[in-house]
Amino acid sequence: MRRPQLDIQLKTPEQIELMRGAGLVVAAALDAMRDAVAPGVSTADLDAIAEKVIRDAGAVPSFKGYHGFPASICASVNAQVVHGIPAAGQVLQEGDLLSLDCGAILHGWHGDSAITVGVGETDPALLKMAEVAEDAMWAGIAAAARGAANGRGRLTDISFNVEKAVRKAGRYGIVDGYGGHGIGTEMHQDPHVLNHGKPGKGPRLVPGLCLAIEPMITMGSPRTVELDDGWTVVTRDGSRAAHVEHTMALLDDGVWVTTARDGGRARLGELVTARQPLVDSVAE
């Protein structure tokens, strides 16, 4: 079913179950890459790890070939915000800050998630920024769950709560223009979800709505520029950036974070749908 105006695809609970499968493949790929991150490892090495995990699960990388993108992940280092292209010559160094963005398609449905991690001994201020981005993401997801439950939620309630969490945490730049998105049978669908804005605007938050929520913040200016490769987005002032993301689905009885191994329960508690078991039986 699709809602008018914006082409928003609402999913059935059964379709969301299928999205959960794709989400767990993405979670496994991100876990494998996180374990492999170390000085001397190249971003191409991490790309190969993710692709193997995805294909061994019977899934297909969402990113590879998407509008010509040449890899299975985006690997964005330091001042690179998003869409960094993995390369054998991009070797991680002690103290780097690395964002890993990964997507997978399983049975025609997408999962999309990102983490930001330090490489070796990393400046605590940079790790704090990554933590702020993650907390803001969860604040946005929680706002979506509450808004759907009370029947009054609107899309920009997510944006407002992401921004509020970042502003409360310190002086960070919230990257403008880039944000989250609808997701389902395509990786990018309506609606676009900004990481800042006033609440109470946009489409209603209703069961069946599936979104990727992805804050991107910087240690300096929020302004960015795209490099000549046509993909890599970097901070204009050279400050370091963090990017995190989860795919979430709204159901009649709560939210399901389909790319989180525990479905979001540790961060969201009773806001999580009963469809997410208390103990996940996914094979390691």
Side-chain angles (χ1 to χ4, degrees):
M1 180 170 62
R2 292 179 183 266
R3 297 177 71 83
Q5 300 170 339
L6 292 175
D7 190 15
I8 297 175
Q9 181 190 73
L10 297 181
K11 287 76 173 176
T12 67
E14 293 72 26
Q15 290 169 334
I16 292 170
E17 294 270 6
L18 293 173
M19 290 184 66
R20 172 61 165 166
L24 287 172
V25 172
V26 173
L30 287 170
D31 285 347
M33 287 189 287
R34 188 198 298 269
D35 289 344
V37 167
V41 174
S42 75
T43 53
D45 294 334
L46 298 174
D47 181 66
I49 289 169
E51 182 162 3
K52 185 177 189 307
V53 170
I54 292 168
R55 294 197 185 277
D56 285 354
V60 176
S62 299
F63 297 178
K64 198 163 192 176
Y66 181 77
H67 295 294
F69 191 77
S72 296
I73 65 166
C74 297
S76 305
V77 183
N78 295 330
Q80 298 174 348
V81 183
V82 286
H83 305 161
I85 300 173
Q90 188 174 52
V91 177
L92 298 175
Q93 315 254 341
E94 190 90 15
D96 282 345
L97 192 67
L98 170 66
S99 169
L100 296 166
D101 192 356
C102 183
I105 312 166
L106 186 64
H107 305 307
W109 295 90
H110 287 257
D112 190 5
S113 184
I115 58 174
T116 292
V117 297
V119 180
E121 292 294 325
T122 308
D123 184 345
L126 297 178
L127 298 179
K128 176 64 175 177
M129 175 176 61
E131 182 181 333
V132 167
E134 186 168 1
D135 288 346
M137 174 187 66
W138 286 110
I141 294 171
R146 290 192 298 268
N150 65 31
R152 298 190 298 272
R154 296 277 188 172
L155 183 70
T156 63
D157 297 346
I158 300 172
S159 309
F160 173 78
N161 280 276
V162 169
E163 179 178 11
K164 179 180 173 184
V166 174
R167 300 294 185 215
K168 184 177 179 180
R171 296 178 62 85
Y172 299 100
I174 299 177
V175 174
D176 194 17
Y178 296 90
H181 50 88
I183 184 170
T185 51
E186 298 89 26
M187 181 166 58
H188 292 114
Q189 298 179 330
D190 286 339
H192 184 56
V193 189
L194 288 173
N195 292 310
H196 55 86
K198 296 180 179 180
K201 299 182 182 299
R204 292 190 179 277
L205 300 173
V206 296
L209 182 63
C210 297
L211 302 170
I213 308 302
E214 49 180 321
M216 300 159 219
I217 64 176
T218 76
M219 292 292 285
S221 168
R223 300 182 68 189
T224 61
V225 63
E226 186 178 271
L227 298 185
D228 290 341
D229 63 18
W231 285 102
T232 309
V233 177
V234 301
T235 58
R236 188 178 292 271
D237 63 2
S239 63
R240 296 195 185 189
H243 167 220
V244 297
E245 177 182 18
H246 265 314
T247 298
M248 52 147 278
L250 296 174
L251 291 105
D252 286 330
D253 67 340
V255 66
W256 199 349
V257 184
T258 59
T259 48
R261 280 197 177 274
D262 70 348
R265 193 175 298 281
R267 295 297 297 255
L268 302 174
E270 293 182 356
L271 291 174
V272 172
T273 174
R275 282 180 175 261
Q276 164 59 32
L278 289 172
V279 177
D280 203 336
S281 60
V282 178
E284 297 294 335

